[in-house]
Structures are given as C-alpha cells and as structure tokens.
Amino acid sequence: TRSAGGSDLAIRFKAFYPVGMQKGTGTLTFAVQPDGTVTFTGNGRYTGGTKEFRGIGGRLRFNGTVTADGLVTTEVRGNARY
C-alpha cells in the first residue's frame, strides 16, 4: 500500500533461539532516498512464542536502510514480557 512518503509493507517474523522461538507481526514504511538507498521504519508486536518465550508480549520498533547493492542494515529495539 502507499502512504504519504513511501510504501507500507505488512510483515510477520519469527526469531529462533536455543531456548525457544518468538513470533510477531508489524508494518514497515519504506522511502526511496535521492542517493538510491531505501530507508524504512516501522512498528511490531510479539504474538506468541514457544518454550522459554511462551506467553511473550511486547512491542518493537524497526529502523533500517537498504543500499543500492542490496545490503540491508536493521536496528530493532523494544521490550518483551514472558
């Protein structure tokens, strides 16, 4: 979908660890920059987990860049309760 300044993308994610798995959903907004890179920001939330992460809840914030040659750099910050 289009937003005022970029395009939105709905995401689902899973993160696997030796002590269990975390999963969640979110939305990222992308914007093409004059230098050819693409920046994105977004929000997410945990929707479940397994083993040690059973009952996980919390929110996340995503910030990142995709370079012209395809390198993706992402920073994820947030909190979790489990």
Side-chain angles (χ1 to χ4, degrees):
T1 62
R2 292 263 182 215
S3 62
S7 295
D8 290 343
L9 176 67
I11 62 168
R12 286 191 272 175
F13 64 87
K14 291 182 179 179
F16 295 90
Y17 301 94
V19 295
M21 182 266 299
Q22 303 169 346
K23 66 180 178 176
T25 61
T27 302
L28 300 178
T29 300
F30 292 85
V32 178
Q33 304 303 309
D35 65 358
T37 61
V38 176
T39 58
F40 59 90
T41 61
N43 295 296
R45 68 180 184 86
Y46 292 107
T47 59
T50 63
K51 298 181 183 176
E52 295 288 325
F53 301 115
R54 188 172 311 279
I56 193 169
R59 301 217 174 262
L60 301 164
R61 178 87 179 137
F62 305 100
N63 290 296
T65 303
V66 182
T67 63
D69 62 357
L71 176 66
V72 179
T73 304
T74 307
E75 176 184 40
V76 181
R77 291 181 178 240
N79 61 58
R81 297 172 309 281
Y82 53 92

